[in-house]
Amino acid sequence: MELIPNTPDISAYLAADEAIDHEHPRVRATAATLSADAPDAYAYAKAAFEFVRDTIPHSQDAGDPRVTWRASDVLAQRTGICHAKAHALVALLRAEGIPAGLCYQKLDVIHGLVAVKLPGEERWARQDPRGNKPGVDAQFRLDRERLAFPARPECNELDLPVLFAEPHPVVLQCLREAVDRPHLWQTLPTDL
């Protein structure tokens, strides 16, 4: 799928903000640990993806009622839904100077993904750090997507084509205002 950046300025996909707080010491320390064994940008991006996917449980899968939204909090509390985990991965990528953004799928609710643009690559590659479980096998791939949930048009599911430099404001508001995960499930948007 070809993504359409919502801004042509690549520096926007390297910037820090309230949710993608890659200047936070916890994000920096995690990035430094991951980059120590990564000889290049590809190896680092894959390591960061696998770290978020595999060591931070999806709160729904884990039965964790906490709601996180800021990348540093996701790393500290080791929990988050797809959107929060996407914020953490984008922050880790940007911490090492790799352009990354947020994109979305319209499934039952809006599902959060990440897109990365590695050196030498012409296009953005979508990644899904949601977390694997039986029936879900997301992988870091540049050649072809391996997302947790391929969109099924016959079920009115869509891959939304816009690549955002910051979290979509509607999604971020839902995350910030949720008292717990069950409440969040009632407020997550079904469309953007």
Side-chain angles (χ1 to χ4, degrees):
M1 160 177 209
E2 191 68 31
L3 290 168
I4 305 163
N6 73 336
T7 177
D9 182 7
I10 196 75
S11 68
Y13 297 95
L14 292 166
D17 62 35
E18 190 176 14
I20 313 296
D21 59 341
H22 68 73
E23 295 168 347
H24 189 281
R26 184 172 294 111
V27 177
R28 290 290 183 185
T30 304
T33 299
L34 293 170
S35 68
D37 294 325
D40 57 28
Y42 176 87
Y44 175 80
K46 184 177 182 192
F49 168 84
E50 290 174 350
F51 175 82
V52 173
R53 182 194 65 191
D54 298 342
T55 70
I56 300 170
H58 189 284
S59 57
Q60 173 72 21
D61 296 346
D64 192 330
R66 296 175 294 167
V67 176
T68 54
W69 57 272
R70 184 178 288 121
S72 58
D73 292 338
V74 173
L75 295 175
Q77 295 181 37
R78 290 284 202 255
T79 190
I81 67 164
C82 59
H83 301 289
K85 291 180 67 157
H87 299 170
L89 179 55
V90 168
L92 289 171
L93 293 168
R94 291 181 184 182
E96 290 295 312
I98 298 172
L102 299 154
C103 47
Y104 302 93
Q105 290 178 304
K106 180 187 178 298
L107 304 175
D108 289 340
V109 295
I110 296 300
H111 178 62
L113 303 170
V114 170
V116 60
K117 190 163 184 9
L118 290 174
E121 294 292 326
E122 292 183 24
R123 65 176 193 85
W124 292 88
R126 291 190 313 165
Q127 310 297 327
D128 191 343
R130 179 225 180 270
N132 290 338
K133 63 181 185 174
V136 174
D137 186 27
Q139 300 295 322
F140 185 85
R141 302 287 302 255
L142 298 181
D143 58 341
R144 62 181 171 86
E145 291 183 340
R146 185 78 177 269
L147 305 177
F149 308 109
R152 301 169 300 170
E154 68 275 10
C155 296
N156 294 321
E157 296 177 350
L158 301 169
D159 289 315
L160 302 176
V162 178
L163 175 63
F164 294 88
E166 298 175 347
H168 192 283
V170 172
V171 171
L172 189 57
Q173 180 180 355
C174 289
L175 289 167
R176 292 175 71 174
E177 293 177 357
V179 274
D180 58 20
R181 188 183 31 77
H183 176 252
L184 177 62
W185 261 204
Q186 296 172 357
T187 61
L188 277 174
T190 57
D191 205 352
L192 294 178

